[in-house]
Amino acid sequence: MKKNDKPQSTAVIGLQWGDEGKGKIVDRLATEHDAVVRYNGGANAGHTIVVDDRRISLHLIPSGILYPGKKAIIANGVVADVEQLLKEIDNLESQDIDTAGLVLSDRAHVVTPYHKAEDARRETLLAREFGEKEDTGGIGTTRRGIGPAYADKAHRAAAIRVGDLLRPDQLRPLVARSAQLAHQDVREDPDLPSPDAITDRLIEIGELLRPRITDTSYLLHDLQRAGKRLLFEGGNATLLDVDHGTYPFVTSSNSSALGIPAGAGVSPKSIHNIMGVCKAYCTRVGGGPFPTEIQGELATTIRERGREFGTTTGRPRRIGWLDLVALRYAVMLNGIDRICMTMLDVLSGIDPIMVCNAYEIDGHRTERFLPDARSLESAKPVLISLPGFTEDITGVRSIQDLPSNARHYLSYVEEHAGAPITLAGVGPDREQTIEIS
Ligand code: GDP
């Protein structure tokens, strides 16, 4: 495929541990697609998009919503905190953003107050086990109930799907069963409303969402048949994929491109172009191994310059050098066609810039990633030093105008990642992007 081909369907996938700046890329690509689709995760996947100096944070709604006339589709693979969804809709509407294009799968699973309480209960318990002060005690979830909602989906007996909100007679016994099956601490949590109150509220929300609820799988196929172009937006990122990431410090869905067919009800053959987004360095939120992690002043500089604080939780992100072993793995796993590297501007003034090209494990060198937290824990990064650049590049719009060391950095990464870099981010604004043909 040539770099400038315009295929029918595209996916945008995070290649690291999330927060790569996918929102901005999806938002940019949305102009040339007819529908933007979320297929995994829940309200734990925050995107921040800057439009006309306004920072708009989206947690559940696909970023295509910012374009009037586009469909923004929340597909079956998502677990939807419907209360949060209403808040997000209200927030967008209060900023005069039209939400008419937002559609929700009747088969998406509903995150209930029980799921959130269970998530918090487990994280607190784990953190206590590892010592109160240690942030890495839990899995590092955002306590939004995502994991417990997926667990209930697998358990089936008490799972609630969006379509159930429109069937009060079925919903009431389902909520009652959720309460019955919940852990005693959750069941007896004085802050939780009664099962009847939860049901009443879910029925109310169902009525508010009714016009948006549909079978999104048929909708997507109808759109494809009509020649419309779909854009799949990955929530979270490849190294957080429940099967292929750094388990157990992962999210609870298939957040790589491998989750698209199941999470949206489309054929793997219908995804024509898979775009991977990575930062010029690495970040990670919460616990889990991070071979290239850096500490101290340098980490603080990068964190502050890159505004590396979680969109959903405000937690400071851990900072590390670019890990090419992990990046190559993510490119391979997803079948990435093109890479967008964001945050190149953040590295300005950092000299040298280090990258990790291999790991050393028990004295042996390997260029292969270890998608398992306990194995990856023992990997020591083999770092290579590349020359840095000092110029402010936030105003640069063409590759020729980048300092030569920045260009060299891009070509080094491209060579070692295994896919061409076709976009480079030099600032948070939509316009601060360099196209590389
Ligand atoms: P996402 O979840 O992958 O969309 O990432 P987030 O939205 O959580 O984080 C990306 C943050 O970086 C947002 O605040 C963006 O506005 C910002 N951002 C995106 N690309 C760039 C870039 O190239 N340079 C800088 N400095 N910031 C960027």
Side-chain angles (χ1 to χ4, degrees), residues 9 118 121 201 353 406 429:
S9 291
E118 176 63 14
R121 186 185 77 81
R201 179 62 187 149
I353 303 171
D429 201 84

Side-chain angles (χ1 to χ4, degrees), residues 19-24 46-48 50 55 311 317 342-343 345-346 425-428:
D19 312 308
E20 294 91 349
K22 297 177 291 292
K24 190 176 93 167
H47 287 314
T48 309
V50 178
R55 288 175 78 83
T311 312
R317 297 176 183 145
T342 60
M343 310 283 189
D345 53 302
V346 175
V426 291

Side-chain angles (χ1 to χ4, degrees), residues 121-136:
R121 186 185 77 81
R122 285 176 173 242
E123 281 294 305
T124 307
L125 213 70
L126 283 166
R128 206 172 294 151
E129 188 183 318
F130 286 81
E132 286 293 355
K133 288 200 193 82
E134 194 159 359
D135 184 39
T136 55

Side-chain angles (χ1 to χ4, degrees), residues 17 26 70 137 176 178 180 194 196 201 221 252 259 289 291 335 358 360 366 391 400:
W17 283 284
V26 170
K70 310 274 178 202
S178 299
Q180 202 183 10
S194 69
D196 267 341
R201 179 62 187 149
H221 285 272
S252 37
E360 210 181 87
T366 178
E391 295 86 339
Q400 293 85 345

Side-chain angles (χ1 to χ4, degrees), residues 5 23 32 49 70 72 81 91 109 113 119 126 141 201 231 238 265 276 279 284 310 313 327 336 345 369 371 374 434:
D5 278 355
E32 42 189 79
I49 296 141
K70 310 274 178 202
D81 178 344
N91 181 37
H109 280 247
D119 207 355
L126 283 166
T141 86
R201 179 62 187 149
L231 180 59
T238 304
K279 296 187 198 200
R284 172 154 215 178
T313 60
L327 186 59
I336 294 295
D345 53 302
F369 190 65
R374 275 135 209 158
I434 299 174

Side-chain angles (χ1 to χ4, degrees), residues 60-73:
L60 200 56
I61 299 181
S63 25
I65 198 71
L66 302 179
Y67 287 91
K70 310 274 178 202
K71 286 233 169 305
I73 301 175

Side-chain angles (χ1 to χ4, degrees), residues 135-149:
D135 184 39
T136 55
I139 295 296
T141 86
T142 50
R143 302 182 181 218
R144 306 276 153 148
I146 314 290

